[in-house]
Amino acid sequence: MKRYARLWTGAWLALCCLSVARAGQIVEVQDPRYFESQQKVIFPNAEVKLVTFEFETVGDDQGGKQRAKELHDQFLAKIHDLHGGAIITFVTPPGQKIESYRVQAEQVAKQQHAQMVLWGKILLDRGGTPLISARLLLIEAPPGISANYHGVIDEAAVDTHGMPVGVRGVIDAPVTQLRMDFSTVENDVTALAYYLSGLARYYKAAAREGSQALRWLNSSIQDFKAYVERVPESADRGALSQAHLYLARAYVRLADVEQARSAAHLAVARGHAEQSAQLNPFDAGVPTVQAVIAARQGAPLADLRTLLIKAVSLAPADGNARVNLAMLSGAQGKVSEALRQLDNASFVQEAQNKAPLPSVKTLRQQLAPFVKTP
């Protein structure tokens, strides 16, 4: 049987040429087997791509198609100046539902070489008001942030100038929250469109350095702030926490770009990280971001240690968190503690069938001269 897909385009739409600011396409899938085969990549040159699907609905309600199209249009409008940004939305014909098509959202997004994919449901409350529940998955996480610091590994060991042997440590704070559920909100996709636009702009900014990132950092901040202003804490603390965390990351990056205002940007970043922690005290990514900010503000190593210990306690299976703590322990002269954390990092990586972290081997080699034998 021949497969069919009806495509909506317009004069403003660029299919594969990203010389224009952004591109979008709504695909109406009419064959239930459409997603069973490899699909042609739409917008193959897109730098930041979002894939969405019509929302699942209850009974005969067809509102999931309309809400998906509204989100498509709003996101497209919000990224009007985002060169290389794109969105693809899959819907079914009237009378059919996307849940009947055996869609695997993650697989479709990977086939489309997308960085983000979103799907969800529309439920009805007791009064009949539609409530949107959405899930966002990051296929490729955007770059996180990091910070350098210095310590003295052994007061008794001196270099050729008679100075104690110093070490240079790095706190790495990658984006670890790859899946997020947005709590149900009333029948409006505006806030969700702002969040997705802010994230798309952060993707673009984080892939650039210097003045090339400035425009996208500022616009990402604007969109995430618009999201925060529209969503009350009582509605979705988890998503708000992540929005504040992205704001913190954006301001840290802004501090690198605008070094004359670095202190001010870091202070704002710290405030957003603190708000993120208050909204979700169980996210291990938050204290790691706080540690990065604290290191950039020149905080004592003891303060950094408190935050990194908290990150490990919240996510004991996170090998990267343990390496961060191991490196700091080494910088504080706690060599045996550092080696223990490296052992733990290797163990959790192996238990999860993950590749060994290259930094573990490197740090072991650096610590080897300071291991005290019995």
Side-chain angles (χ1 to χ4, degrees):
M1 180 182 292
K2 186 177 181 180
R3 288 169 168 75
Y4 296 91
R6 184 182 302 162
L7 311 180
W8 276 272
T9 60
W12 43 266
L13 179 63
L15 293 180
C16 294
C17 177
L18 295 177
S19 60
V20 298
R22 78 285 190 268
Q25 184 166 303
I26 295 176
V27 180
E28 184 182 273
V29 183
Q30 297 182 325
D31 185 343
R33 299 176 299 176
Y34 179 81
F35 295 108
E36 295 178 10
S37 59
Q38 177 72 39
Q39 303 302 312
K40 179 180 178 180
V41 179
I42 303 172
F43 309 126
N45 299 320
E47 182 178 356
V48 183
K49 188 188 298 185
L50 167 66
V51 170
T52 66
F53 297 86
E54 71 175 59
F55 295 101
E56 296 182 13
T57 53
V58 178
D60 296 328
D61 180 34
Q62 297 290 305
K65 305 182 202 311
Q66 184 59 33
R67 297 293 86 77
K69 293 176 182 178
E70 290 175 1
L71 178 60
H72 179 99
D73 292 341
Q74 288 199 32
F75 177 80
L76 196 57
K78 286 177 173 53
I79 63 166
H80 67 280
D81 61 333
L82 188 67
H83 293 264
I87 177 173
I88 307 166
T89 299
F90 292 95
V91 298
T92 58
Q96 297 187 36
K97 291 189 174 183
I98 195 71
E99 53 263 42
S100 301
Y101 281 58
R102 300 179 181 178
V103 181
Q104 294 185 5
E106 182 176 357
Q107 179 180 336
V108 174
K110 288 180 177 179
Q111 288 181 350
Q112 290 297 328
H113 302 163
Q115 287 72 36
M116 303 177 283
V117 58
L118 181 135
W119 68 99
K121 297 181 179 180
I122 295 181
L123 307 174
L124 300 178
D125 66 10
R126 292 181 179 180
T129 301
L131 301 175
I132 300 172
S133 179
R135 169 168 288 182
L136 174 67
L137 176 65
L138 305 186
I139 305 299
E140 298 176 8
I145 55 176
S146 62
N148 299 328
Y149 59 88
H150 293 82
V152 177
I153 196 168
D154 189 344
E155 293 287 354
V158 295
D159 59 19
T160 55
H161 301 286
M163 299 296 292
V165 175
V167 295
R168 176 177 176 270
V170 178
I171 299 174
D172 184 25
V175 174
T176 56
Q177 190 76 16
L178 303 183
R179 184 185 298 265
M180 188 176 67
D181 293 321
F182 293 88
S183 296
T184 53
V185 295
E186 290 193 10
N187 201 18
D188 186 2
V189 297
T190 301
L192 189 55
Y194 271 115
Y195 188 101
L196 295 171
S197 177
L199 184 53
R201 293 173 181 278
Y202 179 83
Y203 267 101
K204 189 174 180 74
R208 285 161 175 74
E209 297 180 357
S211 59
Q212 292 185 355
L214 184 61
R215 174 184 180 182
W216 310 118
L217 286 171
N218 282 323
S219 58
S220 176
I221 287 170
Q222 291 174 2
D223 281 346
F224 276 121
K225 284 185 174 180
Y227 174 82
V228 168
E229 291 171 357
R230 284 166 171 76
V231 179
E233 289 186 12
S234 59
D236 199 338
R237 294 175 67 88
L240 281 171
S241 174
Q242 286 301 305
H244 280 293
L245 200 57
Y246 276 112
L247 281 165
R249 295 184 184 109
Y251 274 108
V252 168
R253 290 184 169 276
L254 207 55
D256 289 334
V257 177
E258 297 183 320
Q259 296 187 4
R261 301 177 59 194
S262 177
H265 290 320
L266 289 175
V268 177
R270 179 175 179 174
H272 283 294
E274 290 174 352
Q275 287 181 283
S276 181
Q278 291 173 5
L279 289 163
N280 184 5
F282 305 107
D283 182 356
V286 178
T288 308
V289 167
Q290 289 179 304
V292 167
I293 297 170
R296 285 170 173 256
Q297 290 181 315
L301 297 188
D303 292 352
L304 305 184
R305 183 176 180 81
T306 299
L307 291 166
L308 295 181
I309 288 177
K310 184 177 182 180
V312 170
S313 66
L314 289 172
D318 184 346
N320 182 74
R322 291 187 177 277
V323 171
N324 282 335
L325 182 55
M327 191 171 294
L328 182 66
S329 295
Q332 291 182 301
K334 304 177 187 293
V335 178
S336 60
E337 164 66 14
L339 292 173
R340 184 173 69 84
Q341 288 297 341
L342 291 178
D343 288 340
N344 291 337
S346 297
F347 174 79
V348 297
Q349 289 292 113
E350 183 178 353
Q352 299 175 78
N353 295 318
K354 294 181 179 180
L357 295 169
S359 52
V360 171
K361 181 178 180 180
T362 301
L363 188 52
R364 283 188 189 280
Q365 294 173 341
Q366 294 173 345
L367 293 173
F370 304 97
V371 176
K372 296 179 180 180
T373 57

